Amino acid sequence: MKSHKIACVFTALCLSMSPLFSQNYNDPDWDEVLELLLSDDEMSSPAFEEYVEMYEQMRSTPLNINTATVEELERLQFLSPKQIEDIHAYIYMHGPMMTLGELMLTGSLDWNTRRILRHFVYAGDIPPKRPGIKPEEVFRYGRNELTGRMDIPLYKRDGFKEYSAEELERYPNREYLGGRLSNSVRYSFNWRGRLRFGFTADRDSGEPFSIKDRAGFDFWSPYFYISDAGRLKTLAAGNFKASFGRGLLMNSGFSLGKAAAVTSINRTASGLKPHSSLSETGYFQGIGGSVSVGKTVFTLLGAYTPADAIIKGDSLITSFKTDGYHRTGLELSRRHNIRITSAAFNANYRYNGISLGTTLLYERFPYSTKTVPGGEYAGVSADWSVRRAAFGCSGEISCSNGGMALLNELSLRLSQRCGMMLLLRHYSPSYYSMRCNALAESDVRNETGLLIGFSRSGKIRSEGYIDLFRHPEARYGAGAPSNGIDIRLLSEWNPDERNNLYAVARFKSKQKDCKPSGTLEYCITWRCRLRWTHMFNQSLSCRTQLFWSRYDFLYEEISDGVGMELSAEWRPCERLSCSAIAVRFLTESYESNISVYEKGLKYAMGYTNLSGNGTRIAMTLRFKITDKLQFNMKAGSLIYYDRDEIGSSRQRIESSHKEDINLQLTWNF
């Protein structure tokens, strides 16, 4: 066995010598890894921020591949159940991995997956037993991070103009109460991902900064989190998130959407985690804990969470305000004007690849809402999951508010590199859960759909899906039952170590109201993107992208959009990196907009939607002052050639261009 092990390691080293000992081409930049992991350009900004933060945290506390459990590896959503099983099977048969080069001997881990996985795992020794949480170990090896950020707009919106007393008396919410700058502070302590605590403080542009009120910041998010402490699986206090099953009843995080569902097959959300992002909605404020009894984990939580609501009269909540802005007197009057009482219970049993769970949720609102008459809400769900080498299935059924939601998924491993999945969902029109977040075309209600997806790994990676959906009752934008189809295809090819070719195309046809005909008609949208990345050497890389989109609706002119991106990154030394991007875009309407991924500050990269006739230019500088102190800066400009002003109402800019500067300082100690 020992000689066989040495032979396997020697083979892995020989076959992967360049990727292991050279950073030339196969170890992609972290921003490129994030773009690969979060390739859904329709993801909302809060969702993108949350998942960026999740992957940043996992990168800062990598897993020992030789001791990582199934649950820990499942957090890496780009790994399939088959790949996780193959990693454990290899370690069981051949012993602990000596280097990450042995990953290529597991069989199902392709080159693209291995190069991403290197950012999150390492090959370490196996300790005699899993260490407990000891104070001396925690504070000796724990990692502190303090990050401050400031955004400086070089323009003035109408909300920051000076108005006369007469105008403000007539229109009291025309002027913002705070200054133009926005800033945030993050502090976090992390010990091996098992003990985390810290806080996030944020103030948006236009919000007042008062030391006497909330210590200057508009939003505070303190948190405390413990995991894997004997029978105590997790303990979360302060602001935290809770997700169970497939998210039909409870998922206070964000769903990645259809594109990620193809690769993150049979992945169920499970448990509690701290809320440390800048998002001011979608969290619980209270305490929750999970305890393991044998193979069953029991979770209980209680929360009294503030929320912004629009109240009609004294007894009806017409809607919840979720943008987090408190810039005017009216917006400030709605800040945390209600509190929601929540209690939830979950039991989850796991054994030999089988998972069974049930969730109970009770919430009480201070007033009635349109969807919850009487202000009291209760829901129950049951979820299941079975994972095997050749197939996997999972699902959840939930009942609440007099309605039912059902989601079932089946995945098949056709070969070592090919797989497919079927996902059937049915959400009745009367179903409602404020905490739900699951795969859907629109909302988790009034929808029936079938998604068929496929994926193929290897040097040429490809994936895609076809989603057929129907809304059995009228919805916003469609006054009668409607249906549609959504198709997405993606392919990525690495012809050699220096070049990467990427192509994605999407077609969507969806019925909506057509006023001239008085009936429902199909609205058709096309989107295509081609990308070529070339690495000249260790220091310099460049990228070219072409965009095309089309919007076609009966009795309206066809709207086309095109764009071209040129970007480059230069890393002259280990401490300094510079990147620049220039995008020229021309779209005939907002519906034919293009979406461009931009590198940015830590926790703050994402997609930018561009429409009209203009140019987008941005530059990013990252300088590591010392081993513990890093300075980041981003400067960007958006120039339009088809308008004299940008935006409307209080957000209007009386100019055809706008510029921003973002500054960030991070101290690790």
Side-chain angles (χ1 to χ4, degrees):
M1 176 64 73
K2 186 175 180 180
S3 61
H4 178 68
K5 171 72 173 178
I6 295 174
C8 289
V9 174
F10 178 76
T11 303
L13 290 172
C14 293
L15 293 176
S16 58
M17 187 68 69
S18 174
L20 280 172
F21 300 106
S22 169
Q23 295 292 324
N24 285 354
Y25 313 114
N26 285 343
D27 191 12
D29 179 77
W30 176 237
D31 292 327
E32 295 176 5
V33 170
L34 287 176
E35 188 176 6
L36 288 171
L37 294 174
L38 305 171
S39 59
D40 189 352
D41 55 9
E42 292 192 352
M43 189 186 303
S44 65
S45 295
F48 201 98
E49 180 196 354
E50 178 174 321
Y51 280 98
V52 166
E53 185 177 21
M54 179 187 72
Y55 283 121
E56 288 275 9
Q57 188 273 326
M58 288 191 288
R59 181 196 182 202
S60 65
T61 55
L63 299 171
N64 183 348
I65 191 70
N66 294 314
T67 60
T69 64
V70 172
E71 291 77 11
E72 288 174 330
L73 291 176
E74 281 182 344
R75 294 170 56 201
L76 302 171
Q77 300 193 11
F78 56 89
L79 290 179
S80 69
K82 169 63 175 173
Q83 292 170 332
I84 295 174
E85 182 179 343
D86 285 351
I87 291 173
H88 281 170
Y90 177 85
I91 295 173
Y92 176 78
M93 294 176 61
H94 304 293
M97 293 186 184
M98 298 175 62
T99 72
L100 293 182
E102 295 183 63
L103 288 171
M104 69 188 308
L105 302 176
T106 58
S108 59
L109 284 170
D110 60 279
W111 175 79
N112 198 56
T113 303
R114 294 198 307 273
R115 67 170 184 161
I116 297 175
L117 184 59
R118 293 176 190 277
H119 288 268
F120 303 102
V121 299
Y122 68 96
D125 297 331
I126 299 180
K129 63 178 182 178
R130 194 170 181 87
I133 300 179
K134 300 178 181 179
E136 60 272 18
E137 294 286 325
V138 168
F139 292 104
R140 182 178 180 182
Y141 298 107
R143 298 181 49 162
N144 295 273
E145 181 181 280
L146 181 63
T147 301
R149 174 182 170 182
M150 178 176 291
D151 297 342
I152 307 172
L154 304 181
Y155 49 83
K156 180 179 286 188
R157 300 186 184 274
D158 283 358
F160 297 106
K161 291 183 177 180
E162 296 182 0
Y163 297 95
S164 64
E166 292 77 11
E167 287 180 292
L168 292 179
E169 185 177 357
R170 187 175 181 183
Y171 305 104
N173 295 297
R174 176 169 286 183
E175 184 179 27
Y176 291 149
L177 301 176
R180 290 188 291 166
L181 302 182
S182 62
N183 45 63
S184 64
V185 176
R186 297 172 183 255
Y187 166 74
S188 65
F189 176 87
N190 191 334
W191 179 71
R192 299 179 179 177
R194 297 172 60 189
L195 174 61
R196 298 171 59 190
F197 60 82
F199 67 86
T200 302
D202 174 62
R203 185 187 70 88
D204 296 311
S205 176
E207 293 179 339
F209 190 91
S210 173
I211 299 298
K212 296 181 180 180
D213 186 16
R214 301 182 296 278
F217 292 95
D218 176 74
F219 174 67
W220 284 86
S221 180
Y223 61 89
F224 179 84
Y225 179 78
I226 295 177
S227 67
D228 196 13
R231 288 188 177 275
L232 180 65
K233 299 295 291 183
T234 58
L235 174 66
N239 290 359
F240 62 92
K241 294 179 179 291
S243 303
F244 303 107
R246 298 307 301 261
L248 292 185
L249 182 65
M250 282 191 68
N251 181 6
S252 54
F254 293 92
S255 174
L256 278 176
K258 301 176 186 177
V262 176
T263 53
S264 302
I265 50 180
N266 296 120
R267 197 62 50 87
T268 58
S270 179
L272 311 174
K273 60 181 180 179
H275 175 70
S276 55
S277 72
L278 298 179
S279 175
E280 299 188 27
T281 59
Y283 63 88
F284 291 99
Q285 189 173 95
I287 188 169
S290 301
V291 178
S292 63
V293 179
K295 293 179 172 56
T296 305
V297 176
F298 297 94
T299 303
L300 184 66
L301 68 87
Y304 192 52
T305 310
D308 298 357
I310 299 175
I311 303 173
K312 182 180 181 181
D314 297 326
S315 59
L316 180 63
I317 299 174
T318 58
S319 63
F320 292 94
K321 188 175 180 293
T322 58
D323 57 16
Y325 291 128
H326 308 107
R327 303 161 298 187
T328 66
L330 179 61
E331 291 179 343
L332 203 56
S333 68
R334 293 168 175 167
R335 182 186 183 276
H336 296 178
N337 57 349
I338 67 166
R339 283 187 173 267
I340 303 171
T341 303
S342 306
F345 169 80
N346 174 265
N348 183 261
Y349 170 83
R350 284 194 174 199
Y351 176 72
N352 193 26
I354 298 176
S355 173
L356 301 173
T358 183
T359 305
L360 304 174
L361 173 64
Y362 171 82
E363 292 195 297
R364 182 178 181 85
F365 304 91
Y367 311 105
S368 296
T369 73
K370 290 184 176 180
T371 50
V372 185
E376 290 193 1
Y377 170 88
V380 59
S381 74
D383 61 90
W384 58 91
S385 175
V386 178
R387 292 193 308 270
R388 292 294 181 263
F391 75 94
C393 61
S394 64
E396 183 177 10
I397 182 171
S398 177
C399 299
S400 70
N401 210 42
M404 182 189 71
L406 174 67
L407 188 151
N408 283 311
E409 181 178 320
L410 172 66
S411 64
L412 301 174
R413 181 59 53 180
L414 305 179
S415 67
Q416 202 170 54
R417 293 186 174 183
C418 299
M420 69 172 296
M421 56 90 73
L422 303 174
L423 192 149
L424 177 66
R425 62 191 187 274
H426 172 71
Y427 311 140
S428 66
S430 59
Y431 181 80
Y432 172 77
S433 173
M434 182 180 179
R435 304 295 179 180
C436 72
N437 199 337
L439 186 142
E441 170 61 26
S442 52
D443 299 324
V444 184
R445 63 188 307 180
N446 188 27
E447 182 174 312
T448 300
L450 173 65
L451 187 145
I452 305 172
F454 77 92
S455 62
R456 183 188 184 279
S457 60
K459 196 168 186 178
I460 299 180
R461 180 177 70 95
S462 58
E463 62 186 52
Y465 65 78
I466 300 176
D467 184 32
L468 306 171
F469 54 89
R470 175 174 174 78
H471 305 287
E473 291 188 5
R475 59 179 181 83
Y476 178 77
S482 58
N483 55 61
I485 183 173
D486 185 5
I487 304 174
R488 186 179 188 266
L489 300 174
L490 179 150
S491 183
E492 184 179 18
W493 178 36
N494 297 282
D496 53 48
E497 294 179 342
R498 291 174 178 255
N499 296 282
N500 174 272
L501 300 174
Y502 177 96
V504 61
R506 187 172 187 179
F507 167 84
K508 181 182 286 189
S509 179
K510 186 176 181 178
Q511 285 182 312
K512 71 174 189 177
D513 290 330
C514 180
K515 292 182 179 180
S517 66
T519 60
L520 294 178
E521 301 293 346
Y522 284 98
C523 173
I524 299 175
T525 305
W526 289 88
R527 298 190 185 278
C528 298
R529 179 157 53 105
L530 303 175
R531 184 180 72 203
W532 171 43
T533 304
H534 178 72
M535 303 191 73
F536 292 96
N537 49 46
Q538 292 183 1
S539 303
L540 182 62
S541 65
C542 66
R543 184 171 74 176
T544 302
Q545 283 200 99
L546 299 176
F547 305 86
W548 175 75
S549 61
R550 167 168 287 189
Y551 173 80
D552 186 2
F553 188 53
L554 191 65
Y555 299 112
E556 293 184 11
E557 291 187 7
I558 294 177
S559 171
D560 287 319
V562 294
M564 181 176 182
E565 173 204 323
L566 296 174
S567 61
E569 182 168 8
W570 180 46
R571 284 172 283 186
C573 62
E574 184 180 353
R575 293 187 179 274
L576 178 65
S577 70
C578 309
S579 63
I581 181 175
V583 184
R584 182 70 174 93
F585 58 94
L586 177 61
T587 73
E588 296 176 343
S589 70
Y590 177 78
E591 286 76 13
S592 59
N593 68 82
I594 63 173
S595 187
V596 180
Y597 177 82
E598 285 189 20
K599 297 180 180 180
L601 309 181
K602 191 175 183 180
Y603 309 120
M605 59 281 291
Y607 288 91
T608 302
N609 289 326
L610 302 172
S611 62
N613 181 4
T615 300
R616 169 65 177 171
I617 302 173
M619 299 182 65
T620 303
L621 171 70
R622 300 180 181 181
F623 179 57
K624 201 169 184 180
I625 303 172
T626 67
D627 291 338
K628 298 182 178 181
L629 193 63
Q630 180 169 321
F631 172 73
N632 300 329
M633 182 183 75
K634 180 178 180 180
S637 175
L638 181 58
I639 307 168
Y640 287 101
Y641 309 117
D642 59 349
R643 65 196 70 176
D644 296 324
E645 58 183 35
I646 303 173
S648 60
S649 187
R650 293 184 295 268
Q651 289 290 89
R652 188 180 74 99
I653 303 172
E654 197 174 353
S655 174
S656 61
H657 60 89
K658 65 173 185 175
E659 288 74 35
D660 297 88
I661 297 177
N662 311 119
L663 306 175
Q664 186 182 67
L665 191 64
T666 301
W667 180 29
N668 292 282
F669 57 98

